[in-house]
Amino acid sequence: MTVYKIPRHLSCLIFDIDGTLYTSSAYVFEQVDAQIRHFAHIHGMTEDEARNKITSWRREWSRAHGGKKISLGNTFTAFGVPILTSIEWRNTILEPEKFLHVDKKMQETISLLAKKYKLVCVTNNPVTAAKRTLRAIGLEELLPNVVGLDTCMKSKPNKDVLRYAAKMMGVSFKECLSVGDRYDIDLALPLELGMGAILVGGAEEVYALPDLLSCND
């Protein structure tokens, strides 16, 4: 875990979902690869050709932007795949139930945090797909507030997405703490906007948040 900043007057936690609220390298990989495989089949190329094409483009984009990373949704737009199509793919292709299971310790962790803070998820998956993931790990009822790819039709990092989440929860940026597993996608922009930010490596580090935040009261 890397703590970049915790707001002095914290009232809202903004959670990324994938790779943050669960630990499953297999499903994190599958989410990306399933879409690339689908892209390959549509465009009449082999799966490996599509993987290499997407990987090479993202590598070049990163090199041209000081090492930053770009989301898959934003990457696909460069190949003529609009966000609306990405939403359709994710809602029909992704199968979190095959990879994830109910996490009772995460349920306890989120329940503790919900007693003190407003909670919202901001994800690059559409809301329906995101809620299926939350259901698979047992958090759908505990985390009902979800801002997804189809909410603003924009992929993180994006100011409009964060503005929507803050407005939904009735808070200012300076009251928010973003928690995610990717610095460039989940944390860099929130920090620029005055939010707090914590980088985690998966569920095991999220479990520590109640104790960590209680020490910063």
Side-chain angles (χ1 to χ4, degrees), residues 79-209:
F79 290 90
V81 180
I83 292 295
L84 192 61
T85 300
S86 286
I87 291 168
E88 180 183 351
W89 288 2
R90 292 170 190 240
N91 277 333
T92 57
I93 295 172
L94 302 185
E95 299 179 286
E97 304 85 358
K98 289 186 176 181
F99 293 84
L100 307 176
H101 56 81
V102 173
D103 183 343
K104 292 187 179 300
K105 190 164 184 177
M106 184 60 75
Q107 288 178 324
E108 295 170 1
T109 298
I110 296 301
S111 294
L112 284 173
L113 293 170
K115 292 178 180 179
K116 193 169 183 180
Y117 307 106
K118 297 178 180 181
L119 307 179
V120 59
C121 292
V122 176
T123 174
N124 277 343
N125 275 327
V127 172
T128 297
K131 289 197 171 184
R132 283 177 61 193
T133 298
L134 292 174
R135 187 181 311 129
I137 55 180
L139 298 181
E140 185 179 21
E141 294 184 4
L142 292 170
L143 292 171
N145 301 306
V146 179
V147 177
L149 185 61
D150 49 346
T151 303
C152 299
M153 304 302 290
K154 295 177 180 178
S155 183
K156 295 188 296 183
N158 185 277
K159 186 175 181 179
D160 290 342
V161 173
L162 294 172
R163 184 184 293 115
Y164 188 98
K167 184 176 181 179
M168 173 192 283
M169 305 311 293
V171 296
S172 64
F173 285 158
K174 66 182 181 181
E175 298 173 82
C176 296
L177 171 64
S178 183
V179 181
D181 67 310
R182 298 173 297 175
Y183 179 83
D184 291 329
I185 306 298
D186 302 318
L187 307 180
L189 182 58
L191 283 169
E192 289 179 19
L193 296 174
M195 296 185 186
I198 294 179
L199 180 69
V200 297
E204 293 79 8
E205 295 186 354
V206 174
Y207 299 154
L209 286 181

